[in-house]
Amino acid sequence: MKELAHQEHAAHRILGLVPTMGALHEGHLSLIKRARQDCTSVAASIFVNPKQFGPAEDFAKYPRAQQTDTEKLAALGIQCVFIPEPAEMYPQDYSTYVNVDGISERLEGRTRPGHFRGVSTVVLKLLQIVQPQFAYFGRKDAQQAAIISRMAHDLNLDAEIVVCPIVREADGLAMSSRNVYLNPADRQAATVLHRALQAVQNELHKGTRDALQLQFAMRRVLEQEPRAKIDYAEIVDARTFEPVTHVARSSYALLAAKFGETRLLDNLLIEFNPGNTNEPRIEL
Ligand code: AMP
């Protein structure tokens, strides 16, 4: 992979990297398509990273679909698919980790200790191996994208981190490789996440800026669905992921809930144009 990356650089191609864990769906493919627009050469990686799964999590049963994944990637005409083995990425004497303090400990980090340490470490390794000018991540995992952007900034990495919109199913459920775990009743129930975020959107349109009121609007919808076990439903600053009391700058409404054994995430981005704190731009 490093040799190939050197060749691409020597040929003055603009190289983009899309890191994934495979089991590719339209969400992943949207990142590839964006990379194809920006770059003259695109590499996707498929690596189910053992370091980001807790001991009681789904590493062993995480969906793997290498054959169909490579077919989907080939159909999009990308230049390279990098599929390393865990033992290549983490040989026995492996001992170096990256930790992005503060932001990694909140929300997802609180429920999944060590998760973001695994994510930051593998992403830094992938960026070191591929040396792309651009690396693409989905806003579906908003906290992950913020952590990686912070790492890239703090460690003076060359790659520009590009965060792309959430791709949803027709009924609003955010696409995720883990959606295949859902039984039909939980699959139906999981649409409550999108509806809870729509409730926040409606409140914002009505002029509500108080974070507690916005949180209450989310929870009121979520609590109507008995199959949803809420982990968190919070309004946070989009950069630090600290809770806010009043929405006046870029913020996220963030949700995590379990349906059966499947934990799902979703979020809504609230942005303000400089000089206009009245009408936020809302991205679902
Ligand atoms: P994963 O394979 O789950 O590690 O995801 C690889 C990349 O795809 C991450 O940057 C995710 O945020 C992104 N991604 C996953 N689902 C979606 C989605 N529904 N819309 C946009 N990006 C997504």
Side-chain angles (χ1 to χ4, degrees):
M1 181 65 238
K2 286 192 92 160
E3 262 172 45
L4 207 127
H6 285 309
Q7 283 169 24
E8 296 301 287
H9 290 139
H12 302 292
R13 298 207 176 93
I14 299 170
L15 185 54
L17 171 65
V18 181
T20 81
M21 298 206 298
L24 302 180
H25 50 67
E26 286 298 324
H28 298 114
L29 302 185
S30 73
L31 306 184
I32 305 271
K33 288 174 193 163
R34 171 68 199 272
R36 291 266 287 122
Q37 285 173 12
D38 298 348
C39 306
T40 46
S41 181
V42 174
S45 61
I46 299 177
F47 182 60
V48 184
N49 173 32
K51 304 275 187 200
Q52 70 187 70
F53 288 80
E57 292 184 356
D58 56 343
F59 175 69
K61 72 163 190 171
Y62 192 84
R64 287 161 170 90
Q66 203 167 301
Q67 182 66 33
T68 49
D69 283 350
T70 43
E71 284 165 15
K72 286 176 189 172
L73 293 169
L76 291 181
I78 68 170
Q79 280 64 31
C80 168
V81 185
F82 178 45
I83 311 178
E85 290 296 324
E88 285 179 275
M89 290 294 269
Y90 305 114
Q92 281 223 316
D93 55 354
Y94 191 85
S95 47
T96 304
Y97 294 86
V98 186
N99 199 53
V100 180
D101 284 353
I103 181 168
S104 296
E105 284 128 43
R106 291 189 261 286
L107 299 152
E108 281 305 286
R110 198 169 49 211
T111 304
R112 306 182 68 188
H115 169 65
F116 285 129
R117 176 182 187 252
V119 170
S120 329
T121 300
V122 80
V123 171
L124 182 58
K125 280 176 69 76
L126 291 168
L127 293 174
Q128 287 298 107
I129 294 165
V130 179
Q131 299 280 329
Q133 280 98 321
F134 296 93
Y136 295 84
F137 296 87
R139 204 196 82 221
K140 215 267 287 167
D141 302 282
Q143 193 175 0
Q144 166 177 286
I147 287 168
I148 289 163
S149 301
R150 175 67 61 80
M151 172 180 79
H153 181 261
D154 287 352
L155 296 183
N156 314 93
L157 303 185
D158 288 328
E160 182 174 322
I161 306 302
V162 183
V163 184
C164 302
I166 300 178
V167 177
R168 298 176 179 281
E169 301 285 357
D171 62 5
L173 179 67
M175 290 193 181
S176 162
S177 304
R178 289 190 167 99
N179 290 352
V180 297
Y181 296 153
L182 296 166
N183 66 34
D186 286 329
R187 169 65 187 78
Q188 174 57 38
T191 58
V192 74
L193 298 175
H194 182 243
R195 281 182 280 120
L197 295 172
Q198 284 177 319
V200 176
Q201 184 174 28
N202 291 340
E203 280 298 315
L204 285 163
H205 282 319
K206 278 193 251 163
T208 307
R209 299 290 179 268
D210 181 70
L212 269 181
Q213 263 180 277
L214 295 170
Q215 258 178 52
F216 184 66
M218 281 199 271
R219 285 189 176 266
R220 203 165 38 210
V221 176
L222 288 172
E223 282 163 9
Q224 280 163 15
E225 176 46 72
R227 303 185 81 89
K229 285 169 266 161
I230 307 169
D231 182 351
Y232 56 77
E234 292 195 27
I235 313 289
V236 302
D237 179 274
R239 222 172 49 82
T240 63
F241 280 66
E242 301 257 23
V244 296
T245 53
H246 187 81
V247 176
R249 53 179 192 275
S250 289
S251 305
Y252 282 112
L254 290 176
L255 295 179
K258 263 183 142 179
F259 297 82
E261 285 309 300
T262 309
R263 203 162 160 280
L264 300 179
L265 309 182
D266 207 341
N267 70 76
L268 167 146
L269 173 62
I270 309 160
E271 284 187 312
F272 293 90
N273 291 328
N276 179 3
T277 50
N278 293 332
E279 209 34 62
R281 204 167 59 77
I282 298 165
E283 261 186 57
L284 246 176

